[in-house]
Amino acid sequence: KAEISTPEQSQASGTDNSVPKQEPEKAQPPKPENPAPQEETTQLPETAAPESTASETQPAEQPFDIGYWISFAQGYAESIGLRLESSATACWDNPIPAGAHCIYIERDIKSRLNFYAKNEDITDVWIWYESTSSNTFEIYVGYA
């Protein structure tokens, strides 16, 4: 007859006849099927990356030729019967925005001057501009 000992008896006698406990296996992440070969890397001294210049990241903004649009407006005003008079600066409507981002400058200038030309009380105009920021302007059309 085989003798079975209890854990208490085993501890007392110094022998352990019980089946040794197995610790559960720790979950290991699955290994990739084709592991990438690990390359030896050597540390190179850190160097600062060259700073990029504005010309590399964005095309240089072309200067906006406000003089062209002032000349255009003056020529158009005369062509529709308005007289250029430098003293006609006391009255004006909202300025016309002008810059590289503006696509309706010609339309807006013609519309404004056509409106003044249709008004029998307006015979004189003066056209000037003010800079609002770098490369953007407002065109004023004064009238009398």
Side-chain angles (χ1 to χ4, degrees), residues 48-129:
E51 292 184 24
S52 63
T53 61
S55 63
E56 292 174 357
T57 57
Q58 296 177 345
E61 186 175 336
Q62 295 296 322
F64 181 75
D65 187 3
I66 188 64
Y68 167 82
W69 290 106
I70 298 301
S71 295
F72 171 82
Q74 291 170 340
Y76 186 75
E78 290 180 315
S79 75
I80 60 172
L82 294 169
R83 188 170 67 112
L84 295 177
E85 176 55 53
S86 63
S87 64
T89 58
C91 298
W92 65 83
D93 291 322
N94 290 335
I96 299 167
H101 64 285
C102 299
I103 59 173
Y104 298 114
I105 301 170
E106 181 177 347
R107 178 201 68 182
D108 293 346
I109 289 171
K110 286 181 175 182
S111 175
R112 180 77 47 90
L113 292 171
N114 288 336
F115 176 77
Y116 294 154
K118 290 178 185 174
N119 186 330
E120 294 176 8
D121 294 332
I122 299 175
T123 57
D124 299 339
V125 294
W126 189 247
I127 301 158
W128 73 97
Y129 71 92

